[in-house]
């Protein structure tokens, strides 16, 4: 039975010396300057605004709904399938 | 045999990248194996490596607080020089924890001296945690090769009074040191037609390097 209540255990190989160094450093103003990266960070983006025939529009929305994709991911998936970008 | 030297100062413009690059060039020119870990977000060392220098200096970029220890451990031999960013950060603290020597360059200004003091305090605290001495050397940088300012003399005297190890040699402000980044080559490969004072710069660079590694 899983009785860990979802609590993440501290990995055994964590470097405790380094953790102590981090604590002392933070006390002296040497804090982490590296923000966590957003999970969906994609780098620079460009907008695309396009008018589609209704059938194409509906088909694209259905494709995204069926595959649980955002529109951005949907376009990306189609371009991967077409071989224009690598997965 | 591996020697890890961190160049740290929590203030930009103190001369970390220049000193790191110059020391790397001198060591490599004299046959030492040199790896630079470029921890400056502007990656001056990575950009330098895209140039034409034939010196076999390995430059590793994208150094972060999460990978700096791994990169230091991955090098088997030679000198590992860590060019750190000019801010007080966890990356700096972690690099210091792994260093055999920390070089703290600073310009002869009270602001720079105060920032150097912060780094020294951090080193002192870290020594207790890692249970070993972390040797450090303080070096005046970007000084005039001919005129010694009053402030320079005063700061040197102040450091001496506090028992802090100020290096005898200083990295002077020289066109050749700026030119190695501009032309992406080494002091030993600069074109004397384009840059003045190369022999004097090499003499200065070698004296500084000798004092750092001795």
């Amino acid at each position: 039975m899983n009785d860990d209540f979802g609590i993440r255990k501290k990995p055994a190989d964590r470097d405790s010396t380094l953790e102590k160094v981090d604590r002392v450093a933070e006390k002296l103003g040497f804090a982490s300057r590296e923000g966590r990266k957003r999970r969906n960070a994609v780098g620079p983006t460009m907008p695309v605004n396009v008018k589609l025939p209704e059938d194409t529009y509906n088909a694209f929305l259905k494709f995204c709904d069926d595959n649980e994709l955002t529109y951005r991911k949907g376009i990306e998936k189609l371009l991967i399938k077409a071989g224009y970008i690598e997965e | 045999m591996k020697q890890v030297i961190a160049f740290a100062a929590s203030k930009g413009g103190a001369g970390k990248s220049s000193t790191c690059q110059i020391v790397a060039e001198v060591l490599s020119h004299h046959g030492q194996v040199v790896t630079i870990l470029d921890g400056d977000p502007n990656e001056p060392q990575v950009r330098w490596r895209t140039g034409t220098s034939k010196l076999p200096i390995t430059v590793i970029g994208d150094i972060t607080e999460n990978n700096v220890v791994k990169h230091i451990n991955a090098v088997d031999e030679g000198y590992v020089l860590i060019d750190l960013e000019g801010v007080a950060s966890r990356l700096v603290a972690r690099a210091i924890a792994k260093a055999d020597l920390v070089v703290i360059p600073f310009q002869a200004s009270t602001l720079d001296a105060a920032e150097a003091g912060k780094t020294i305090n951090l080193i002192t605290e870290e020594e207790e945690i890692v249970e070993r001495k972390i040797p450090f050397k303080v070096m005046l940088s970007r000084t005039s090769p001919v005129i010694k300012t009053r402030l320079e003399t005063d700061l040197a005297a102040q450091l001496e009074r506090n028992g802090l190890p100020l290096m005898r040699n200083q990295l002077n402000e020289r066109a050749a040191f700026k030119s190695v980044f501009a032309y992406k080559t080494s002091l030993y490969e600069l074109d004397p037609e384009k840059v003045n004072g190369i022999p004097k710069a090499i003499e200065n660079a070698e004296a500084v390097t000798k004092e750092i590694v001795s």
Side-chain angles (χ1 to χ4, degrees):
Chain A
M1 190 181 116
N2 184 358
D3 60 354
D4 63 3
F5 305 104
I7 296 166
R8 289 170 68 187
K9 288 194 183 116
K10 186 178 165 182
D13 62 349
R14 283 260 286 275
D15 188 335
S16 64
T17 306
L18 217 51
E19 283 178 9
K20 285 183 198 160
V21 166
D22 291 347
R23 275 202 296 276
V24 160
E26 199 151 332
K27 195 181 74 188
L28 296 175
F30 288 72
S32 175
R33 309 276 174 199
E34 294 167 22
R36 285 181 186 278
K37 279 192 180 155
R38 280 168 53 219
R39 195 164 55 88
N40 280 333
V42 288
T45 55
M46 298 290 284
V48 55
N49 185 2
V50 58
K51 278 186 182 291
L52 295 171
E54 205 171 341
D55 287 353
T56 311
Y57 173 84
N58 288 333
F60 177 66
L61 253 60
K62 188 171 183 324
F63 171 76
C64 291
D65 281 348
D66 289 351
N67 293 285
E68 294 183 344
L69 296 168
T70 59
Y71 297 163
R72 172 170 67 74
K73 284 279 176 196
I75 293 172
E76 195 179 302
K77 189 103 179 163
L78 291 169
L79 287 168
I80 289 168
K81 279 190 177 180
Y84 280 82
I85 52 175
E86 284 180 23
E87 196 155 8
Chain B
M1 178 70 184
K2 182 167 83 174
Q3 182 80 5
V4 181
I5 305 176
F7 294 83
S10 52
K11 186 174 177 299
K16 290 176 296 295
S17 296
S18 296
T19 313
C20 177
Q21 175 60 227
I22 297 304
V23 170
E25 289 178 11
V26 173
L27 290 171
S28 181
H29 180 73
H30 288 92
Q32 301 292 331
V33 177
V34 180
T35 306
I36 298 178
L37 303 185
D38 193 347
D40 185 329
N42 294 321
E43 302 211 309
Q45 314 294 354
V46 171
R47 274 188 276 136
W48 175 84
R49 189 62 284 182
T50 61
T52 55
S53 175
K54 290 192 169 57
L55 288 179
I57 298 170
T58 305
V59 178
I60 301 171
D62 203 19
I63 300 297
T64 65
E65 62 186 39
N66 291 319
N67 67 22
V68 65
V69 172
K70 187 184 79 184
H71 280 298
I72 294 169
N73 292 341
V75 179
D76 289 328
E77 61 156 338
Y79 287 91
V80 181
L81 308 182
I82 315 170
D83 182 15
L84 291 160
E85 56 191 339
V87 291
S89 70
R90 182 178 285 177
L91 169 61
V92 173
R94 288 186 169 185
I96 287 174
K98 295 293 292 180
D100 298 305
L101 171 71
V102 182
V103 176
I104 307 168
F106 77 107
Q107 289 192 68
S109 83
T110 41
L111 276 177
D112 272 51
E115 291 296 329
K118 272 194 201 171
T119 308
I120 293 167
N121 287 342
L122 178 66
I123 293 171
T124 314
E125 294 255 357
E126 286 197 38
E127 280 179 337
E128 283 182 33
I129 296 164
V130 298
E131 294 176 352
R132 67 175 176 90
K133 288 297 274 181
I134 303 174
F136 63 91
K137 294 178 179 177
V138 184
M139 185 194 74
L140 273 166
S141 68
R142 308 181 66 175
T143 51
S144 160
V146 283
I147 306 159
K148 198 171 192 175
T149 65
R150 178 70 189 270
L151 187 56
E152 220 173 288
T153 313
D154 288 352
L155 283 169
Q158 201 178 323
L159 287 169
E160 202 166 313
R161 275 200 302 278
N162 289 310
L164 294 170
L166 180 67
M167 280 174 52
R168 196 169 41 79
N169 290 287
Q170 311 170 349
L171 198 73
N172 299 138
E173 182 84 353
R174 289 179 183 276
F177 297 150
K178 289 197 175 99
S179 300
V180 297
F181 285 108
Y183 296 116
K184 297 178 183 170
T185 187
S186 76
L187 279 176
Y188 302 94
E189 298 159 293
L190 281 172
D191 183 353
E193 299 273 298
K194 289 184 186 162
V195 186
N196 290 327
I198 299 172
K200 285 272 181 200
I202 290 176
E203 196 182 307
N204 183 200
E206 297 199 337
V208 163
T209 306
K210 196 172 171 191
E211 190 174 352
I212 286 175
V213 300
S214 64

